[in-house]
Amino acid sequence: MPSETDPGTHSRTDAATDGATHSGTDRIAQPWGERTPYGRDGDWPVRVDSYLAPGITAAAVDRWVPTASLLHSNGDAMDVAVVGGRIVGVRGRADDRVNRGRLGPKDLFGWQANHATDRLTTPLIRHRGRLVACDWDTALDRIAERTRHLLREHGPGSLGFYTSGQLFLEEYYTLAVIARAGLGTNHLDGNTRLCTATAAEALKETFGCDGQPASLTDVDHADVLALFGHNMAETQPVLWMRVLDRLAGPDPPRLVCVDPRPTPVARHATVHLAPRSGTNVALLNALLHEIVRTDRVDHAFVDAHTVGFDELAGRVADCTPEWAARVCDVPARDIGEAAELLGGAERLLSTVLQGVYQSHQATAAACQVNNLQLLRGMLGRPGCGVLQMNGQPTAENTRECGANGDLPGFRNWENASHVADLARVWNVDPSRVPHYAPSTPALQIFRYAEQGSIRMLWISGTNPAVSLPELHRVRAVLGREELFTVVQDLYPTETAQLADVVLPAATWAEKTGTFTNADRTVHLSEKAVEPPGEARSDLDILLDYARRMDFRDRDGRPLVGWHDPESAFEAWKECSRGRPCDHTGLTYERLRGAGGIQWPCTPQNPDGTERLYTDGITWAAPDDCETYGRDLVTGASVSETEYRALNPDGRAVLKAAEYVPPHETTTAEYPLQLNTGRTLYHFHTRTKTGRAPQLNAAAPEVWVELSAAEALRHGVAEGDLVEVTTPRGSVRGRLRVTGIRDGMVFLPFHYGYWDTPEGDRPGKDGGRAANETTVIDWDPVSKQPLFKTGAARLTLVERAHGAVSPAPTTTASAPADPRGVPPTTGGPSAVARRNTGTPRGERP
């Protein structure tokens, strides 16, 4: 078994100073902490994790201010410790349904990024080629003036917005109103397009609307957990703690893991399938084939709640495990064993993440997981459901509020009554709401900027100069003189350095707002401290811009009629009324008292909704659905007429898809499949985690992963400096030899250039950002970029000569041969406390 259950040499026990029993653990060396075992259908025991700055004790804390994590989609509830107006640490919230007091490494140490010495503290404008400090009036007047000029000369299509998965609900909603009803542009998307668009699209294709069907608490009840491309241990470490505690308790669940890397999930799996990149649909079709062949189908459920069974059964009829084994390079017996587990489960919970979403045929594969749940009738009951997971912490909010590719409140842009209803909420004519086409996806927005039709691009809370594919091209777009670029962020990111105007933003714990996690839980995050310098909340910036633009509704009143976070939340509630994401039962006061609550939450249902679809499919009827759907292979739209004929009664749709090979395949010149992904210790483009000392020290530099057989074939060894090259560009890093499947090379995607001499691009030592190498290609349905399909070659730059790979040893990048590789530890500065009692003055 892996060592995370072993206290090892990094733990220590502190003297009890406040009536509770505390122990300390190096949470870099032991990311998931100690186990608190529990059995099936039991309550997950409380364990409160906390970390305070050196020299600070709990007794010295002035205030504990409630919030939740903004560094992953789990939404771990926590309190921020404040001393003298400054954040000094965090502790988990024992009474919250999401984490029961636990915190992951990013939760424990990430807050230190708020104190970074390079925080932006004043607006900046470009003058004679350089960014220089200015006041807010100068910066916002320049933006408003350019907006009015472009509206007058080129129309609303010349304006584009690219936002984040980091802002709060109130800010996304305000942005959506400004962009859609204020300016009239359809060019609005979030960087959630890079991580979550496929989750949303898969849910809409199957269930007619967005919203996760299952709950995180289904981990407590399931007997089989199937994780498809979901390295939960690194992307949602607290949820993985929940799984580990089930595995350590009586009646543990069995795990099915689909991942090409030897992740911690894979090491605990009953069956681990490591398919070739780009073959997920083939693998899933084979699993569905086995479910149908062995008649593990819940026919009563399928007949009552779905359409499309005959087409699906016909599509997978020839997709035998033997066929899939040839396509996926996975043993047929392992596929059969996985199908036995899935088919024999009494309560099956499936989760999906980037191994599916960022791969070839992303939406088609994600829909096949939905199909698996529907065929088995595993929906709407404890332990039964599917979580099409989010990558970003507030990704769900971009979808709810229409700050990505959807209209607010999960309304259908092709349904005239939905558009009219939204216009009623905003008190504007329906023609003011752009609905001539779906909202423009992110890569198309950048394409329009490259072509010159978008002339102003406002980027908030994201860093496309590192996170988008084919970076040399993105840098060229952002550097175009004809493009007026506004960047709203915390730090001088690679993107900010290319902007015309930079707006300093406040962040988590420096402002108030709500956000929704991956299982629809809404948390209120309260302002704990003042932001540095002149930095403002994103909401304040947007409200100021709206005032300067003087947007009006049809009665001449301000279109944006709210003035602070709570009034913005109340405005959003009216927009959500009667929709699947109904928030009308929530208030700031209720969230303060109850902690996280899941939507839909109404006055009639004040405690929220733990699971969707407990009484059948509710939002797929033609008059209600969020989309009429698309063909999963081509992306061609399904018309309203076709949808009404297919699904007149509003059931879940079993959408079939054939497997087609990836667009870019390996060749003699590029013999390796390129895979990119996350690591436990970093988030996004390392803007925050790179400024948290313990996290940065755990994974300070990009690395390259290769299997032992491939290393031998290429004549390279652990620690060698190697270069990964594709037709787009190259990256250099030290080699880590792991248990990754043969024929594949892996790069972590977090690393950019802000902490290098060049600042925003590669220097003399070559590329560092994985997206120098990735291709601009996207899923035809969700328009999500495909970061996990490409062909690459690897060459030796120099031998190790004593150098070691910076890859962590605690994660999927653990060395195949640990001899000579120093273990990843955090030392005394990474020791966090855990409390299994109830200290005085703290909530249970």
Side-chain angles (χ1 to χ4, degrees), residues 220-233:
D220 304 345
H221 308 290
D223 66 306
V224 175
L225 301 174
L227 294 89
F228 295 93
H230 183 193
N231 183 2
M232 184 190 292

Side-chain angles (χ1 to χ4, degrees), residues 753-782:
Y753 307 100
W754 61 265
D755 52 347
T756 69
E758 290 74 20
D760 65 352
R761 62 193 65 224
K764 61 181 176 56
D765 294 329
R768 188 189 196 199
N771 283 322
E772 304 288 355
T773 64
T774 53
V775 61
I776 291 184
D777 191 7
W778 55 74
D779 179 67
V781 181
S782 68

Side-chain angles (χ1 to χ4, degrees), residues 287-297 299 336 339-340 343-344 376:
L287 295 173
L288 291 167
H289 167 94
E290 286 296 281
I291 297 296
V292 174
R293 184 187 68 80
T294 57
D295 199 23
R296 264 42 187 282
V297 177
H299 290 285
E340 279 293 312
R376 298 278 1 265

Side-chain angles (χ1 to χ4, degrees), residues 420-569:
D421 185 56
L422 184 60
R424 175 193 59 77
V425 173
W426 290 345
N427 194 31
V428 299
D429 189 271
S431 64
R432 285 271 299 272
V433 182
H435 60 282
Y436 51 86
S439 192
T440 312
L443 290 184
Q444 190 64 54
I445 287 176
F446 277 82
R447 176 64 174 148
Y448 287 154
E450 184 177 51
Q451 293 173 324
S453 63
I454 286 182
R455 296 162 183 261
M456 174 175 143
L457 182 57
W458 190 329
I459 300 167
S460 52
T462 186
N463 191 14
V466 178
S467 59
L468 289 186
E470 208 165 337
L471 285 181
H472 72 92
R473 193 169 163 186
V474 174
R475 286 191 290 267
V477 172
L478 294 172
R480 292 184 76 241
E481 288 189 9
E482 298 81 2
L483 180 68
F484 183 78
T485 308
V486 179
V487 171
Q488 183 171 315
D489 214 314
L490 315 181
Y491 312 104
T493 65
E494 292 83 345
T495 304
Q497 294 176 51
L498 297 169
D500 294 289
V501 178
V502 178
L503 305 177
T507 186
W508 173 92
E510 297 169 354
K511 60 182 182 179
T512 293
T514 56
F515 54 94
T516 310
N517 79 346
D519 80 338
R520 297 171 283 104
T521 301
V522 181
H523 282 111
L524 174 64
S525 179
E526 304 255 28
K527 180 177 179 178
V529 297
E530 294 296 326
E534 300 175 25
R536 292 182 180 179
S537 75
D538 297 278
L539 180 64
D540 284 346
I541 295 169
L542 292 168
L543 291 176
D544 195 342
Y545 173 72
R547 282 193 294 272
R548 291 169 197 265
M549 292 300 298
D550 196 26
F551 299 121
R552 297 281 167 173
D553 67 12
R554 69 164 85 209
D555 295 324
R557 294 177 300 202
L559 175 68
V560 180
W562 44 96
H563 52 84
D564 63 8
E566 188 161 7
S567 57
F569 185 76

Side-chain angles (χ1 to χ4, degrees), residues 18 20 22 46-50 58 63-68 76-81 90-97 99-102 523-524 526 589-596 835-844:
D18 56 4
H22 301 294
V46 168
R47 186 193 84 194
V48 176
D49 297 337
S50 64
R63 294 180 292 125
W64 293 94
V65 182
T67 181
D76 303 329
M78 66 176 84
D79 295 323
V80 172
V90 294
R91 72 177 181 196
R93 297 182 67 183
D95 55 351
D96 198 274
R97 60 175 304 280
N99 55 325
R100 304 277 285 167
R102 291 161 187 78
H523 282 111
L524 174 64
E526 304 255 28
E589 196 57 37
R590 282 214 65 218
L591 291 169
R592 285 190 180 101
N835 166 32
T836 53
T838 305
R840 285 193 295 268
E842 297 183 12
R843 289 173 296 188

Side-chain angles (χ1 to χ4, degrees), residues 242-256:
R242 198 166 193 147
V243 174
L244 288 175
D245 286 349
R246 276 289 320 272
L247 292 172
D251 197 10
R254 291 161 294 172
L255 268 56
V256 175

Side-chain angles (χ1 to χ4, degrees), residues 577-578 582 584-586 590 600-609:
R577 185 181 296 278
D582 197 322
T584 53
L586 296 173
R590 282 214 65 218
C601 179
T602 66
Q604 296 74 34
N605 179 31
D607 295 329
T609 306

